Each structure stands twice: as C-alpha cells, then as structure tokens.
C-alpha cells in the first residue's frame, strides 16, 4: 500500500512538472533574442523590441536674441529769429545725406523773436536766470563780443577744428573772438559790388579799372552822360548802418582803444570813410534813396540805380533779382568794391553765426550737430541749396550744382563771393556794439549829407558815446 501511495505521489509530481513546462517558467532566464543588424545603407528588417523606448527629450529651443534697443535720441533746441522754415529745411537735407545724425539727434527749432536783437535779449535773460532756453542760438557777429567777453559762450574748437582745413578763410575769421573759437559761421556777408553790365558797357565803364573813390565818381558821371537819371549807388538820409560798416570793417577803423575808451573822433579809419562817402554824395552820383524802402525797390526795377555796393546776401532771389525783375536777368554781374575809405575787403557785420551758450543742456552734442550743419561738405551744400549763401567748405565749391552759373548774375557771382570771403574782415565790435551803432549812425548820415561837418559830427558822436555808455568794456 505504501508503494502505491509513493507511486501516486510521484505520478502527481511528474504531472505538475509537465504542466509547468508547458506554460513556461516565470522564474527561469528569459529567452535569448535574435541578433539585430544595423545597415547604414538599407532599412533594418529586424522587428522592434517588444518594449519601445520612450522618445528622446528634445533639446530646449533657445530664446530669440532680442533686437538691440535703439539709443535714445538727444533733443537739441535751436533758436533763430524771424522764422524757422529755412533752418528746418537745411536740417532735413543734412539728415537725408547722413541718416546716422537723424538717429542721434532730434532738432527742435524755435523762434527767439523777429530780429537778432530779440534773440540777444532772450539770451541775456536766460543767462541772468540760469534758464535753459536753447542748446544753440543764432546771432549776428555784432553780438558775439558781448557774450564772449562775459564768458557766456562755449569754446567749440573741438568740433570746429576737424573741418578747419576744408574752410575758406572768412569762415575761420568769423568763428573767432579774442583768439578763441566761439561760433559756427552760418551766413557770411562778404562785401561785393553788383552792377548792370549793359549800362556800364554803354557808358564805356570798365569795372576792373575802378579802384578809388575818384574812379567811382568818374564812372558815375560817365553813366549819367548816357542816362542823366541814373545813379551808381544809393545812400539815403535814412541810410542803414551796414552801408557804413561795409567800409569801416575793411579799413581798420575802431571806436575804442584797447582799454575800451572811446576814440571815434580821433580814429583815421572813421574819418576816411566819411570823407569818401561825402565826396560821392557831393558829386551827385549817389541817389538820396534809402535801402528797404519802396523807392529803392522801384529805382532798381526802373534802372534808376544801376549798381549796388553791398554784401553777398543781396544776391539771394528774394532781394535784388526780385526788385530788379526778370527783365534784367543776365544783365547784372558781380565784382569787388573799389577802395573807398582806404578799405580792402570787409563785410556787413561779418555775418550770422551759431553759438553754444553756457546754459545749453547738451553743449557737446550741440557743437557736433552745428559742425555738421555749417562746416561739413553736405551741410554747406544744404545751406547753399536753401538760402543760396556761398558755401564756405572748399569741397562743396567743387559740386557741379554750386558751380552752375547763377540764373541772374551768371558765373561772376560765385567768383566774387569766394574772393570776398577770402578778404572778409570784421569791424572791431565791442560788447556795447548795438548801442554804439545806434548812436554813431545818426551822426554819420548828418556828416555825409552836410548837415554837420565831419569834425562836428564825430565830436558829437564821441560825446554821446562817453556820456551814455561810459566805457565799452565796463
């Protein structure tokens, strides 16, 4: 019986082992997989493993590099007188040629008044209150000594000197006061002589031979012999001060000595100017007609006045070409003055300039902009394009558009202006120039027209200068 129980147990155990072998063991080693073959030229045919590995985590996408933030523009305020239209146009033309400047500067032009005197008064008030009213200001050179002597103007030699070798001498002259560079030349005013070529030719007058006051009187007489109603110049009883200073600037005249004491009644240059001007008036070749009057414009249009001893600005289209009219286009030419009062060269108040006052918020940037606007090749061209002021940059003078003959004066205009700029001289203006000019002009007119003798007029002017102003420097 025991044998039977052992056998039965053995049979049962064998049966269980047989069933376990058929189902596969859960504890035995896993079957060895078939080998995989990697083929770099054909797709593998081996089936993928039973468990697909998780996809690889993609590399993070780099954040885009932000565009550089544009540098903030520097806002510069420029002050001028009358209107801002021309200044805005010049700036736009300069920026079109140099976009990098447009990226750096925002230029805001403001009007300081109707005249240079108005602007000067605003500058005085700003200096007294330490108020920022502008970063740069337009003045006439007559005002520069007042502010420069007071230490109110920034030295701009750093911005100026990088263009200096490219400039005509007149531009360098007008930038200086007391051997310091304090201004940027804007519209220079060299003295030049405008004349009717047809009238002078008919009268047999050769301008190249008119050198002295006696030559000019003889030329005026020759013209009147052909046309009795014609005059070679005009100097009215309400003459503008610049008509006298065009000669005073070129003959070394001064109203003061080195210490600011007035010497107008002793100065030989002042006396020489009045002597020659009176000779012209007494000879009857100068019309008693004042500039900027309807009579002046009419006399130019009708051919009563056939020449003008004046400055470069008179050639602008809005002046002589307009007053004389289209019928005279091509009949005018330009040359140098005869030597009235012993003068060679000269200017009408030197010209207008830009300065950087000490109250400027951005003096370095203002000087950089003004150097580009007034002295560079493209800036000088922009000024020529807008107001026809003769370029002061020598490279600009080679521009074909600049060298094209003027529609009214022909090629003589540019040649005369360049010579005039090279000979440009500035009167020895004092810090009290504006007041001095108002005083002396009245007596100059009286002397020229014989209402007072030259001695009496100069002595009266001397007394008024001393009594009203004291000393030019105090």
């Amino acid at each position: 019986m025991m044998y039977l129980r052992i056998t039965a147990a053995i049979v049962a155990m064998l049966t269980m082992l047989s069933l376990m072998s058929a189902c596969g063991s859960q504890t035995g080693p896993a079957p060895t997989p078939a080998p995989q073959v990697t083929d770099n030229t054909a797709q593998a045919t081996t089936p993928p493993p039973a468990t697909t590995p998780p996809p690889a985590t993609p590399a993070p996408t780099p954040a885009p590099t932000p565009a550089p933030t544009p540098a903030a523009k520097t806002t510069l305020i420029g002050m001028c007188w009358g209107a801002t239209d021309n200044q805005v146009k010049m700036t736009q033309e300069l920026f079109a040629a140099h976009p990098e400047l447009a990226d750096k500067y925002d230029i805001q032009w403001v009007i300081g008044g109707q005249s240079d005197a108005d602007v000067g008064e605003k500058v005085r008030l700003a200096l007294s209150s330490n108020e920022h009213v502008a970063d740069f200001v337009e003045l006439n050179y007559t005002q520069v000594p007042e502010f420069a002597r007071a230490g109110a103007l920034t030295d701009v030699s750093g911005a100026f000197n990088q263009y200096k070798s490219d400039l005509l001498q007149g531009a360098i002259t007008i930038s200086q006061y007391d051997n310091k560079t304090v201004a940027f030349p804007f519209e220079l005013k060299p003295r030049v002589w405008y004349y009717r070529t047809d009238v002078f030719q008919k009268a047999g007058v050769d301008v190249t031979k008119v050198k002295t006051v006696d030559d000019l009187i003889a030329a005026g007489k020759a013209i009147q012999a052909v046309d009795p109603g014609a005059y070679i110049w005009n100097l009215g009883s309400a003459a503008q001060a610049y008509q006298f200073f065009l000669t005073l600037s070129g003959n070394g005249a001064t109203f003061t000595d080195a210490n600011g004491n007035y010497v107008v009644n002793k100065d030989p240059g002042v006396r020489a100017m009045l002597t020659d001007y009176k000779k012209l008036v007494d000879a009857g070749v100068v019309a008693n007609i004042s500039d900027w009057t309807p009579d002046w414009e009419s006399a130019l249009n009708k051919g009563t006045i056939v020449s003008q001893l004046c400055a470069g600005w008179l050639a602008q289209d809005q002046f002589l070409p307009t007053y004389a009219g289209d019928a005279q286009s091509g009949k005018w030419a330009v040359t140098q003055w005869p030597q009235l009062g012993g003068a060679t060269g000269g200017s009408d108040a030197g010209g207008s300039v830009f300065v950087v006052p000490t109250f400027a918020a951005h003096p370095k940037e203002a000087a950089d902009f003004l150097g580009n606007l007034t002295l560079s090749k493209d800036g000088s061209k922009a000024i020529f394009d807008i107001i026809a002021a003769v370029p002061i940059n020598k490279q600009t003078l080679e521009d074909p558009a600049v060298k094209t003959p003027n529609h009214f004066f022909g090629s003589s205009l540019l040649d005369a202006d360049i010579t005039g700029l090279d000979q440009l001289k500035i009167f020895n203006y004092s810090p009290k120039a504006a007041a001095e000019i108002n005083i002396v002009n009245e007596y100059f007119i009286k002397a020229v027209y014989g209402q007072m003798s030259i001695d009496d007029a100069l002595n009266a002017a001397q007394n008024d200068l001393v009594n009203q102003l004291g000393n030019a420097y105090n």
Side-chain angles (χ1 to χ4, degrees):
M1 288 294 295
M2 183 172 291
Y3 172 79
L4 291 175
R5 284 197 296 270
I6 294 173
T7 301
I10 293 173
V11 171
M13 184 178 294
L14 292 174
T15 302
M16 183 176 293
L17 290 172
S18 175
L19 289 173
M20 292 178 63
S21 178
C23 293
S25 172
Q26 295 182 358
T27 60
T32 302
Q36 294 185 349
V37 177
T38 300
D39 186 353
N40 292 327
T41 61
Q43 186 174 355
T45 58
T46 304
T51 304
T52 303
T57 303
T61 303
T65 302
T69 303
K73 292 185 180 183
T74 300
T75 297
L76 299 175
I77 300 174
M79 181 180 289
C80 58
W81 65 79
T84 62
D85 295 355
N86 287 338
Q87 285 80 356
V88 169
K89 292 176 183 176
M90 294 169 199
T91 304
Q92 291 172 339
E93 184 170 329
L94 175 66
F95 281 179
H98 292 277
E100 72 279 7
L101 293 176
D103 291 337
K104 288 174 62 177
Y105 301 124
D106 174 26
I107 308 300
Q108 298 181 3
W109 290 98
V110 298
I111 300 174
Q114 291 305 306
S115 68
D116 58 332
D118 296 332
V119 172
E121 184 60 25
K122 276 195 167 51
V123 173
R124 293 184 198 98
L125 292 173
L127 289 168
S128 64
S129 62
N130 197 28
E131 180 186 2
H132 167 61
V133 296
D135 293 287
F136 53 91
V137 176
E138 181 185 2
L139 299 174
N140 259 325
Y141 189 85
T142 52
Q143 300 166 300
V144 168
E146 172 189 351
F147 298 115
R149 192 172 180 85
L153 303 183
T154 302
D155 184 323
V156 295
S157 56
F160 190 95
N161 288 343
Q162 61 182 306
Y163 299 101
K164 191 172 182 179
S165 62
D166 292 329
L167 304 179
L168 295 175
Q169 180 57 45
I172 299 172
T173 299
I174 201 173
S175 72
Q176 307 288 315
Y177 181 77
D178 196 22
N179 296 318
K180 296 179 181 178
T181 304
V182 296
F184 291 93
F186 175 40
E187 182 185 358
L188 272 64
K189 302 175 180 179
R191 69 176 204 165
V192 288
W193 180 16
Y194 305 89
Y195 65 98
R196 283 276 300 270
T197 55
D198 56 335
V199 174
F200 276 53
Q201 184 177 7
K202 186 177 180 181
V205 175
D206 181 354
V207 295
T208 64
K209 296 180 180 179
V210 180
K211 301 295 186 182
T212 67
V213 64
D214 292 332
D215 294 338
L216 189 62
I217 290 172
K221 295 288 189 182
I223 290 169
Q224 289 179 335
V226 175
D227 183 354
Y231 295 89
I232 204 163
W233 193 27
N234 65 287
L235 190 70
S237 54
Q240 297 291 315
Y242 62 75
Q243 294 181 288
F244 300 110
F245 283 86
L246 282 162
T247 293
L248 294 175
S249 59
N251 71 0
T254 183
F255 295 165
T256 70
D257 62 18
N259 297 315
N261 300 307
Y262 287 106
V263 295
V264 69
N265 61 337
K266 301 176 182 178
D267 184 77
V270 176
R271 184 176 297 274
M273 179 274 295
L274 292 177
T275 300
D276 277 3
Y277 278 30
K278 189 175 188 306
K279 286 181 71 173
L280 287 167
V281 170
D282 290 346
V285 297
V286 173
N288 186 356
I289 297 174
S290 300
D291 289 2
W292 312 112
T293 63
D295 287 344
W296 179 53
E297 297 178 19
S298 175
L300 288 168
N301 182 264
K302 294 178 179 179
T304 303
I305 299 174
V306 298
S307 82
Q308 288 284 274
L309 295 163
C310 198
W313 50 261
L314 189 63
Q316 294 181 25
D317 285 344
Q318 60 185 317
F319 299 131
L320 183 52
T322 295
Y323 304 152
D326 292 340
Q328 295 182 30
S329 180
K331 297 180 180 179
W332 285 81
V334 193
T335 189
Q336 302 306 303
W337 276 48
Q339 201 177 56
L340 301 184
T344 301
S347 64
D348 164 16
S352 60
V353 297
F354 286 113
V355 298
V356 180
T358 51
F359 54 64
H362 306 286
K364 183 178 179 180
E365 292 83 355
D368 175 60
F369 168 73
L370 289 173
N372 279 281
L373 178 65
T374 64
L375 308 179
S376 72
K377 176 183 177 182
D378 293 321
S380 191
K381 176 63 163 51
I383 294 174
F384 171 80
D385 288 341
I386 304 305
I387 63 172
V390 58
I392 60 175
N393 186 295
K394 297 173 186 176
Q395 296 182 51
T396 310
L397 290 172
E398 298 304 315
D399 189 298
V402 174
K403 298 177 78 169
T404 300
N406 181 272
H407 69 96
F408 200 86
F409 302 100
S411 60
S412 66
L413 176 61
L414 183 61
D415 293 339
D417 278 345
I418 292 173
T419 300
L421 282 175
D422 277 337
Q423 297 179 352
L424 187 139
K425 298 175 184 175
I426 303 172
F427 182 73
N428 182 32
Y429 295 107
S430 86
K432 297 181 180 179
E436 293 166 0
I437 292 170
N438 286 336
I439 291 172
V440 302
N441 200 57
E442 172 189 355
Y443 293 111
F444 287 172
I445 293 172
K446 289 180 177 180
V448 166
Y449 275 94
Q451 298 168 3
M452 298 178 74
S453 70
I454 291 178
D455 282 340
D456 288 346
L458 290 178
N459 286 330
Q462 173 75 13
N463 289 335
D464 282 359
L465 288 168
V466 172
N467 293 333
Q468 295 181 33
L469 304 180
N471 183 283
Y473 296 155
N474 298 329

